[in-house]
Amino acid sequence: MIINLKDFLNNKELHTQYNLTIDKNILDLDSEIRLIEDVDCSVSVYKTDDNLYSEVKLTYKYGDNCARCNEELENQVSTDFNVTINASMEEDDLNVVLIDDKIDLTDLIKQSIYLSKPLKVLCKEDCKGICIKCGSNNNYDECDCNDETIDPRLESLAKLLDKEV
Ligand SMILES: [Zn+2]
Ligand SMILES: [Zn+2]
């Protein structure tokens, strides 16, 4: 995603903002992250006496599976990062290179999405998950596996004890 800063660099304004939508296919994230919608992105650019820097805010929506019950879900994440814009240094986490008055934030945006995506999400906070005994999804049909049943061995022991009383 390339932004042309030429107009901003040539005027006296100290701040400008670009509101952009990035095609989810352009970001081409690997299968670990399934973007559902295009990514909303606002890029603020500031001039200071000896610096040019940018604040980037992103909101993206992706599909995942609940960490407890494995149901499909959608999750939305908002994140942001700051970079210095400069003409001489190489791009890294803190710098983006200005070439012909343009910056390309694509790789930094991808990285930001990778870093901000939660490792685990739940379909709902109180997801009851899947029963490890019978495999039923307890959000839909609660099974009886966890009901207190008396272990048959203990039952016979109880009978034995009864007799002695
Ligand atoms: Zn769940
Ligand atoms: Zn069960």
Side-chain angles (χ1 to χ4, degrees), residues 29-90:
L29 300 163
D30 67 35
S31 55
E32 259 180 76
I33 301 178
R34 309 191 311 262
L35 290 178
I36 293 167
E37 289 173 359
D38 294 344
V39 175
D40 284 328
C41 180
S42 90
V43 179
S44 294
V45 184
Y46 301 89
K47 284 174 193 157
T48 63
D49 287 344
D50 48 13
N51 230 340
L52 194 61
Y53 74 97
S54 176
E55 250 174 41
V56 182
K57 291 187 174 149
L58 301 170
T59 299
Y60 62 93
K61 203 185 244 187
Y62 67 97
D64 206 342
N65 296 80
C66 174
R68 261 183 220 158
C69 74
N70 207 37
E71 282 280 292
E72 291 267 342
L73 57 84
E74 291 182 3
N75 192 30
Q76 183 170 298
V77 174
S78 293
T79 186
D80 55 82
F81 63 92
N82 296 339
V83 280
T84 303
I85 300 168
N86 58 62
S88 53
M89 289 177 77
E90 284 188 21

Side-chain angles (χ1 to χ4, degrees), residues 135-150:
S136 74
N137 183 335
N138 280 332
N139 294 313
Y140 300 120
D141 54 315
E142 199 128 6
C143 60
D144 299 326
C145 300
N146 288 323
D147 284 3
E148 273 187 66
T149 48
I150 299 167

Side-chain angles (χ1 to χ4, degrees), residues 68-69 123-124 126-131 137-139 142:
R68 261 183 220 158
C69 74
C123 59
K124 53 187 175 186
D126 62 345
C127 170
K128 294 183 180 126
I130 289 173
C131 172
N137 183 335
N138 280 332
N139 294 313
E142 199 128 6

